[in-house]
Amino acid sequence: MFFPIDKIRSEFPILHQQIYNRPLVYFDNAASTQKPVQVIDAIRHYYEHDNCNIHRGVHYLSMKATEAYEEARKEIREFINARSTHEIIFTKGATESLNLVASSFGKRYIKPGDEVISTIMEHHSSFVPWQQMCLEHGAGFRVAGINERGELDLDELYGMINEKTRLIVLTHVSNVLGTINPVKEIIAVAHRNNIPVLIDGAQGVSHLQVDMQDLDCDFYCFSGHKMYAPMGIGVLYGKEKYLEELPPYQLGGEMIKEVYVDHTTFNELPFKFEAGTPNVEGVAGLRAAVHYLKELGMENIAMYEENLLKYASGKLANLDGMKIYGTAVHKTSLISFLIGDIHPYDVGTIIDKMGIAVRTGHHCAMPLMNYLKIPGTVRASFAFYNTLQEIDLLVSAIVKAKKMLE
Ligand code: PLP
């Protein structure tokens, strides 16, 4: 397969810098990805040509900005194959999307004694809103575990389903283990029991082709900044039948139809969930990022990244004292590891001075760290602009760090 890696790398200006007199090697893509010039240019173009508050303006710029914003919504709909643009809500990111559903779903559907099922591999952004929502409404919060490869224990998960279950919430891909969960199968089982499912796709959309109608999930969310788009913009997908029934999350301009002294009627979808002036610049950047990903092709990206993962896994697994957390059969291009009893921060700090950016710590997944009985890991996460040569640099940096620390 031909993958135009040189051209791709030339489109990411930030990668071409020296830090500590060494070329920057960026392996912190699960935290946030870098932005191609196409995305940077789209934001610049927006401010140079289109900037204006959107909706209801009768003047040229307002209509132009509104049109671009709504065109972007159509393209996001197409990108994830949702049925309707009514199902695409622009948010600040995955965290806001998750809080929105936890708050509104909790108010509408959750009663004392009900249960929500989730998993031990959730990011705090998903774990904490559901945990707190359950505490608030007197509901039970049940959490399924994983096997030794870091794959979800499906028997345990399915065994938790009962007549009290109101929702199943899980991540598409673990940000610590890289595990790709069999979400389509889980959704089918949940639906046979009339239970809706929310998928946290924050680590999914940048690696996998996602299709809302094929998955048949009820809610799906993601952040722009993890898929080569700007920070502060994200998406909540929700089936229209649920979004129609849920109460609004935030109140204010844009989300209303009519306001009187004694009552207010709410706007139609998707505006009911988009209170206030939205992040129009972010939407312009997100649209450009979606174009970029479509042009590269999600299948090509997945193939290229799988090769990076295989290469890195093989090299790292051979190092003395190396323990890799997350060896699922289906996983995305990230590797979490510890070496002997060396603290992850020490490894991260030393290899940073060699120009290599990895993430260290609990990765916003403390329940998982407690389950694994470790304080944290070193996480190297790869994107399609990374190379095998960079992985070689990582491996030799780890060997040097290990020598220094032992
Ligand atoms: N869910 C997962 C699996 C994540 O990895 C992250 C971020 O790392 C989030 C949710 C939260 O994303 P954001 O901080 O962009 O809202």
Side-chain angles (χ1 to χ4, degrees):
M1 170 202 125
F2 173 71
F3 197 68
I5 185 68
D6 292 338
K7 177 175 173 290
I8 289 168
R9 285 186 68 80
S10 73
E11 288 165 343
F12 287 82
I14 202 170
L15 298 178
H16 307 286
Q17 61 180 301
Q18 302 264 319
I19 58 164
Y20 312 114
N21 291 322
R22 301 191 187 223
L24 169 68
V25 174
Y26 186 76
F27 284 153
D28 196 16
N29 296 288
S32 198
T33 53
Q34 301 302 346
K35 321 303 170 199
V37 279
Q38 289 85 339
V39 168
I40 299 167
D41 287 349
I43 296 167
R44 189 183 176 86
H45 184 275
Y46 167 71
Y47 280 118
E48 286 182 349
H49 300 278
D50 299 341
N51 177 47
C52 187
N53 212 329
I54 57 166
H55 296 142
R56 295 177 315 279
V58 292
H59 64 81
Y60 179 84
L61 269 190
S62 179
M63 288 194 284
K64 199 171 169 209
T66 303
E67 194 184 314
Y69 187 82
E70 293 304 330
E71 278 305 310
R73 198 188 307 270
K74 286 183 196 159
E75 291 183 26
I76 307 296
R77 184 210 65 74
E78 194 199 318
F79 184 61
I80 62 171
N81 195 28
R83 265 184 204 84
S84 151
T85 50
H86 289 188
E87 299 174 322
I88 306 295
I89 315 283
F90 287 123
T91 64
K92 278 196 299 192
T95 301
E96 190 178 47
S97 304
L98 289 156
N99 276 274
L100 187 164
V101 184
S103 168
S104 296
F105 193 94
K107 280 186 198 151
R108 177 71 179 79
Y109 295 114
I110 303 293
K111 306 269 178 311
D114 288 346
E115 289 182 358
V116 172
I117 300 175
S118 191
T119 85
I120 198 69
M121 65 168 84
E122 302 306 308
H123 187 281
H124 295 160
S125 297
S126 191
F127 204 88
V128 182
W130 306 110
Q131 177 201 60
Q132 294 298 308
M133 182 271 270
C134 287
L135 287 172
E136 192 183 325
H137 295 279
F141 183 53
R142 306 190 65 183
V143 176
I146 53 176
N147 65 20
E148 66 290 345
R149 291 188 300 276
E151 294 160 330
L152 196 54
D153 184 338
L154 290 177
D155 290 338
E156 191 184 1
L157 181 87
Y158 296 150
M160 288 175 173
I161 294 177
N162 63 44
E163 70 289 349
K164 293 181 277 182
T165 312
R166 293 290 163 266
L167 182 70
I168 297 178
V169 176
L170 79 155
T171 191
H172 198 164
V173 174
S174 160
N175 68 312
V176 177
L177 307 164
T179 309
I180 303 173
N181 285 318
V183 290
K184 189 171 170 180
E185 175 194 321
I186 294 168
I187 291 164
V189 172
H191 285 178
R192 282 204 285 281
N193 292 277
N194 293 321
I195 300 164
V197 180
L198 178 145
I199 305 293
D200 170 3
Q203 298 290 341
V205 275
S206 56
H207 302 288
L208 309 165
Q209 178 80 59
V210 297
D211 182 324
M212 293 305 107
Q213 295 188 61
D214 180 53
L215 287 180
D216 197 26
C217 60
D218 303 282
F219 300 98
Y220 193 97
C221 64
F222 51 94
S223 297
H225 72 97
K226 291 185 196 288
M227 53 177 291
Y228 313 94
M231 294 196 173
I233 186 69
V235 170
L236 168 67
Y237 158 83
K239 275 190 188 157
E240 212 165 336
K241 65 171 179 179
Y242 285 110
L243 294 179
E244 286 290 3
E245 285 202 8
L246 295 186
Y249 175 54
Q250 290 187 325
L251 309 172
E254 196 71 22
M255 54 73 65
I256 56 91
K257 192 178 270 167
E258 289 174 321
V259 180
Y260 302 94
V261 170
D262 60 347
H263 77 283
T264 295
T265 55
F266 302 129
N267 207 341
E268 61 194 27
L269 293 174
F271 313 111
K272 180 173 107 179
F273 291 104
E274 292 184 358
T277 300
N279 181 356
V280 188
E281 150 202 341
V283 168
L286 181 61
R287 185 184 186 186
V290 165
H291 283 180
Y292 192 86
L293 290 174
K294 273 168 59 182
E295 203 148 293
L296 273 184
M298 293 309 295
E299 270 179 24
N300 297 331
I301 289 172
M303 258 193 284
Y304 181 81
E305 290 181 347
E306 194 178 324
N307 194 37
L308 292 178
L309 176 67
K310 256 197 209 148
Y311 186 77
S313 302
K315 291 252 164 173
L316 289 175
N318 279 335
L319 298 183
D320 217 25
M322 171 66 66
K323 171 142 180 61
I324 293 178
Y325 291 86
T327 52
V329 177
H330 300 291
K331 69 177 280 193
T332 56
S333 53
L334 70 79
I335 302 183
S336 267
F337 62 89
L338 287 174
I339 313 161
D341 47 16
I342 301 174
H343 199 282
Y345 290 137
D346 294 335
V347 179
T349 308
I350 290 179
I351 69 173
D352 170 58
K353 298 293 177 297
M354 301 178 200
I356 298 170
V358 289
R359 188 135 299 237
T360 57
H362 55 60
H363 314 298
C364 295
M366 286 171 78
L368 178 60
M369 294 301 143
N370 291 335
Y371 188 89
L372 296 170
K373 297 188 176 58
I374 52 175
T377 68
V378 182
R379 182 186 71 188
S381 50
F382 314 120
F384 55 72
Y385 42 62
N386 290 128
T387 64
L388 301 181
Q389 293 75 19
E390 287 182 313
I391 290 170
D392 288 338
L393 290 175
L394 171 72
V395 174
S396 59
I398 291 171
V399 171
K400 276 187 209 148
K402 187 167 173 283
K403 271 198 197 126
M404 286 164 71
L405 291 163
E406 272 175 351

PDB file of all heavy atoms in Angstrom, residues 113-115 117 142 157-166 168 193 195:
ATOM      1  N   GLY A 113     -33.372   3.265  42.192  1.00  0.00           N
ATOM      2  CA  GLY A 113     -33.425   1.815  41.980  1.00  0.00           C
ATOM      3  C   GLY A 113     -33.046   1.388  40.568  1.00  0.00           C
ATOM      4  O   GLY A 113     -32.775   0.216  40.324  1.00  0.00           O
ATOM      5  N   ASP A 114     -33.030   2.338  39.623  1.00  0.00           N
ATOM      6  CA  ASP A 114     -32.591   2.001  38.259  1.00  0.00           C
ATOM      7  C   ASP A 114     -31.080   1.714  38.257  1.00  0.00           C
ATOM      8  O   ASP A 114     -30.387   1.996  39.238  1.00  0.00           O
ATOM      9  CB  ASP A 114     -32.857   3.176  37.299  1.00  0.00           C
ATOM     10  CG  ASP A 114     -34.340   3.340  36.995  1.00  0.00           C
ATOM     11  OD1 ASP A 114     -35.114   2.430  37.299  1.00  0.00           O
ATOM     12  OD2 ASP A 114     -34.702   4.403  36.461  1.00  0.00           O
ATOM     13  N   GLU A 115     -30.597   1.214  37.129  1.00  0.00           N
ATOM     14  CA  GLU A 115     -29.150   0.938  37.036  1.00  0.00           C
ATOM     15  C   GLU A 115     -28.576   1.407  35.694  1.00  0.00           C
ATOM     16  O   GLU A 115     -29.259   1.354  34.664  1.00  0.00           O
ATOM     17  CB  GLU A 115     -28.893  -0.568  37.187  1.00  0.00           C
ATOM     18  CG  GLU A 115     -29.131  -1.043  38.609  1.00  0.00           C
ATOM     19  CD  GLU A 115     -28.843  -2.520  38.831  1.00  0.00           C
ATOM     20  OE1 GLU A 115     -28.485  -3.219  37.853  1.00  0.00           O
ATOM     21  OE2 GLU A 115     -28.974  -2.963  39.974  1.00  0.00           O
ATOM     22  N   ILE A 117     -25.041   0.664  33.405  1.00  0.00           N
ATOM     23  CA  ILE A 117     -23.878  -0.232  33.322  1.00  0.00           C
ATOM     24  C   ILE A 117     -22.776   0.452  32.523  1.00  0.00           C
ATOM     25  O   ILE A 117     -23.023   1.050  31.475  1.00  0.00           O
ATOM     26  CB  ILE A 117     -24.257  -1.563  32.633  1.00  0.00           C
ATOM     27  CG1 ILE A 117     -25.364  -2.261  33.421  1.00  0.00           C
ATOM     28  CG2 ILE A 117     -23.036  -2.462  32.483  1.00  0.00           C
ATOM     29  CD1 ILE A 117     -25.879  -3.535  32.749  1.00  0.00           C
ATOM     30  N   ARG A 142     -23.017   0.204  37.775  1.00  0.00           N
ATOM     31  CA  ARG A 142     -22.342  -1.099  37.752  1.00  0.00           C
ATOM     32  C   ARG A 142     -21.251  -1.076  36.686  1.00  0.00           C
ATOM     33  O   ARG A 142     -21.435  -0.507  35.607  1.00  0.00           O
ATOM     34  CB  ARG A 142     -23.352  -2.202  37.481  1.00  0.00           C
ATOM     35  CG  ARG A 142     -24.505  -2.131  38.481  1.00  0.00           C
ATOM     36  CD  ARG A 142     -25.388  -3.322  38.395  1.00  0.00           C
ATOM     37  NE  ARG A 142     -24.673  -4.548  38.785  1.00  0.00           N
ATOM     38  CZ  ARG A 142     -25.230  -5.751  38.741  1.00  0.00           C
ATOM     39  NH1 ARG A 142     -26.472  -5.896  38.348  1.00  0.00           N
ATOM     40  NH2 ARG A 142     -24.536  -6.828  39.094  1.00  0.00           N
ATOM     41  N   LEU A 157     -20.336  -8.210  31.641  1.00  0.00           N
ATOM     42  CA  LEU A 157     -21.185  -7.095  31.206  1.00  0.00           C
ATOM     43  C   LEU A 157     -22.615  -7.573  30.945  1.00  0.00           C
ATOM     44  O   LEU A 157     -23.589  -6.999  31.454  1.00  0.00           O
ATOM     45  CB  LEU A 157     -20.595  -6.449  29.946  1.00  0.00           C
ATOM     46  CG  LEU A 157     -21.365  -5.257  29.412  1.00  0.00           C
ATOM     47  CD1 LEU A 157     -20.900  -3.972  30.084  1.00  0.00           C
ATOM     48  CD2 LEU A 157     -21.187  -5.103  27.914  1.00  0.00           C
ATOM     49  N   TYR A 158     -22.742  -8.631  30.158  1.00  0.00           N
ATOM     50  CA  TYR A 158     -24.095  -9.117  29.830  1.00  0.00           C
ATOM     51  C   TYR A 158     -24.812  -9.647  31.075  1.00  0.00           C
ATOM     52  O   TYR A 158     -26.029  -9.528  31.190  1.00  0.00           O
ATOM     53  CB  TYR A 158     -24.025 -10.206  28.750  1.00  0.00           C
ATOM     54  CG  TYR A 158     -23.494  -9.708  27.414  1.00  0.00           C
ATOM     55  CD1 TYR A 158     -22.787 -10.549  26.552  1.00  0.00           C
ATOM     56  CD2 TYR A 158     -23.694  -8.387  27.020  1.00  0.00           C
ATOM     57  CE1 TYR A 158     -22.305 -10.089  25.334  1.00  0.00           C
ATOM     58  CE2 TYR A 158     -23.205  -7.919  25.808  1.00  0.00           C
ATOM     59  CZ  TYR A 158     -22.513  -8.770  24.969  1.00  0.00           C
ATOM     60  OH  TYR A 158     -22.035  -8.308  23.774  1.00  0.00           O
ATOM     61  N   GLY A 159     -24.019 -10.221  32.003  1.00  0.00           N
ATOM     62  CA  GLY A 159     -24.619 -10.741  33.237  1.00  0.00           C
ATOM     63  C   GLY A 159     -25.209  -9.639  34.110  1.00  0.00           C
ATOM     64  O   GLY A 159     -26.027  -9.902  34.994  1.00  0.00           O
ATOM     65  N   MET A 160     -24.777  -8.400  33.886  1.00  0.00           N
ATOM     66  CA  MET A 160     -25.293  -7.276  34.697  1.00  0.00           C
ATOM     67  C   MET A 160     -26.632  -6.755  34.180  1.00  0.00           C
ATOM     68  O   MET A 160     -27.304  -5.993  34.850  1.00  0.00           O
ATOM     69  CB  MET A 160     -24.284  -6.121  34.667  1.00  0.00           C
ATOM     70  CG  MET A 160     -23.042  -6.406  35.456  1.00  0.00           C
ATOM     71  SD  MET A 160     -21.861  -5.053  35.252  1.00  0.00           S
ATOM     72  CE  MET A 160     -20.645  -5.567  36.450  1.00  0.00           C
ATOM     73  N   ILE A 161     -26.968  -7.132  32.945  1.00  0.00           N
ATOM     74  CA  ILE A 161     -28.213  -6.602  32.356  1.00  0.00           C
ATOM     75  C   ILE A 161     -29.418  -7.228  33.055  1.00  0.00           C
ATOM     76  O   ILE A 161     -29.494  -8.445  33.206  1.00  0.00           O
ATOM     77  CB  ILE A 161     -28.256  -6.904  30.839  1.00  0.00           C
ATOM     78  CG1 ILE A 161     -27.137  -6.137  30.122  1.00  0.00           C
ATOM     79  CG2 ILE A 161     -29.622  -6.554  30.248  1.00  0.00           C
ATOM     80  CD1 ILE A 161     -27.042  -6.410  28.625  1.00  0.00           C
ATOM     81  N   ASN A 162     -30.297  -6.376  33.505  1.00  0.00           N
ATOM     82  CA  ASN A 162     -31.551  -6.883  34.103  1.00  0.00           C
ATOM     83  C   ASN A 162     -32.666  -5.868  33.871  1.00  0.00           C
ATOM     84  O   ASN A 162     -32.454  -4.867  33.161  1.00  0.00           O
ATOM     85  CB  ASN A 162     -31.344  -7.186  35.601  1.00  0.00           C
ATOM     86  CG  ASN A 162     -30.994  -5.930  36.382  1.00  0.00           C
ATOM     87  OD1 ASN A 162     -31.603  -4.876  36.179  1.00  0.00           O
ATOM     88  ND2 ASN A 162     -30.012  -6.025  37.261  1.00  0.00           N
ATOM     89  N   GLU A 163     -33.812  -6.103  34.479  1.00  0.00           N
ATOM     90  CA  GLU A 163     -34.968  -5.232  34.197  1.00  0.00           C
ATOM     91  C   GLU A 163     -34.790  -3.810  34.754  1.00  0.00           C
ATOM     92  O   GLU A 163     -35.544  -2.902  34.392  1.00  0.00           O
ATOM     93  CB  GLU A 163     -36.287  -5.884  34.673  1.00  0.00           C
ATOM     94  CG  GLU A 163     -36.516  -5.990  36.162  1.00  0.00           C
ATOM     95  CD  GLU A 163     -35.607  -7.017  36.855  1.00  0.00           C
ATOM     96  OE1 GLU A 163     -34.925  -7.826  36.172  1.00  0.00           O
ATOM     97  OE2 GLU A 163     -35.563  -6.995  38.088  1.00  0.00           O
ATOM     98  N   LYS A 164     -33.748  -3.624  35.606  1.00  0.00           N
ATOM     99  CA  LYS A 164     -33.525  -2.276  36.165  1.00  0.00           C
ATOM    100  C   LYS A 164     -32.586  -1.445  35.290  1.00  0.00           C
ATOM    101  O   LYS A 164     -32.415  -0.254  35.504  1.00  0.00           O
ATOM    102  CB  LYS A 164     -32.914  -2.397  37.575  1.00  0.00           C
ATOM    103  CG  LYS A 164     -33.884  -3.006  38.590  1.00  0.00           C
ATOM    104  CD  LYS A 164     -33.272  -3.082  39.969  1.00  0.00           C
ATOM    105  CE  LYS A 164     -32.405  -4.314  40.127  1.00  0.00           C
ATOM    106  NZ  LYS A 164     -31.804  -4.532  41.403  1.00  0.00           N
ATOM    107  N   THR A 165     -31.935  -2.093  34.310  1.00  0.00           N
ATOM    108  CA  THR A 165     -30.929  -1.390  33.501  1.00  0.00           C
ATOM    109  C   THR A 165     -31.590  -0.359  32.585  1.00  0.00           C
ATOM    110  O   THR A 165     -32.482  -0.705  31.811  1.00  0.00           O
ATOM    111  CB  THR A 165     -30.138  -2.403  32.622  1.00  0.00           C
ATOM    112  OG1 THR A 165     -29.726  -3.487  33.450  1.00  0.00           O
ATOM    113  CG2 THR A 165     -28.929  -1.735  31.991  1.00  0.00           C
ATOM    114  N   ARG A 166     -31.128   0.878  32.670  1.00  0.00           N
ATOM    115  CA  ARG A 166     -31.715   1.948  31.847  1.00  0.00           C
ATOM    116  C   ARG A 166     -30.784   2.406  30.723  1.00  0.00           C
ATOM    117  O   ARG A 166     -31.236   3.038  29.771  1.00  0.00           O
ATOM    118  CB  ARG A 166     -32.053   3.175  32.722  1.00  0.00           C
ATOM    119  CG  ARG A 166     -33.137   2.954  33.704  1.00  0.00           C
ATOM    120  CD  ARG A 166     -34.519   2.816  33.032  1.00  0.00           C
ATOM    121  NE  ARG A 166     -35.445   2.211  33.966  1.00  0.00           N
ATOM    122  CZ  ARG A 166     -35.708   0.896  34.029  1.00  0.00           C
ATOM    123  NH1 ARG A 166     -35.188   0.068  33.157  1.00  0.00           N
ATOM    124  NH2 ARG A 166     -36.533   0.410  34.933  1.00  0.00           N
ATOM    125  N   ILE A 168     -26.555   1.623  28.885  1.00  0.00           N
ATOM    126  CA  ILE A 168     -25.184   1.080  28.913  1.00  0.00           C
ATOM    127  C   ILE A 168     -24.289   2.140  28.281  1.00  0.00           C
ATOM    128  O   ILE A 168     -24.608   2.700  27.231  1.00  0.00           O
ATOM    129  CB  ILE A 168     -25.092  -0.257  28.146  1.00  0.00           C
ATOM    130  CG1 ILE A 168     -25.976  -1.302  28.839  1.00  0.00           C
ATOM    131  CG2 ILE A 168     -23.642  -0.740  28.061  1.00  0.00           C
ATOM    132  CD1 ILE A 168     -26.015  -2.659  28.141  1.00  0.00           C
ATOM    133  N   ASN A 193     -32.731  -6.137  24.762  1.00  0.00           N
ATOM    134  CA  ASN A 193     -33.294  -5.931  26.100  1.00  0.00           C
ATOM    135  C   ASN A 193     -33.903  -4.538  26.257  1.00  0.00           C
ATOM    136  O   ASN A 193     -34.111  -4.073  27.374  1.00  0.00           O
ATOM    137  CB  ASN A 193     -32.196  -6.150  27.152  1.00  0.00           C
ATOM    138  CG  ASN A 193     -31.753  -7.596  27.226  1.00  0.00           C
ATOM    139  OD1 ASN A 193     -32.389  -8.407  27.887  1.00  0.00           O
ATOM    140  ND2 ASN A 193     -30.689  -7.944  26.512  1.00  0.00           N
ATOM    141  N   ILE A 195     -32.568  -1.618  25.882  1.00  0.00           N
ATOM    142  CA  ILE A 195     -31.701  -0.687  26.624  1.00  0.00           C
ATOM    143  C   ILE A 195     -30.912   0.158  25.622  1.00  0.00           C
ATOM    144  O   ILE A 195     -30.244  -0.385  24.734  1.00  0.00           O
ATOM    145  CB  ILE A 195     -30.706  -1.467  27.527  1.00  0.00           C
ATOM    146  CG1 ILE A 195     -31.473  -2.326  28.532  1.00  0.00           C
ATOM    147  CG2 ILE A 195     -29.759  -0.505  28.257  1.00  0.00           C
ATOM    148  CD1 ILE A 195     -30.617  -3.385  29.173  1.00  0.00           C
TER     149      ILE A 195
END
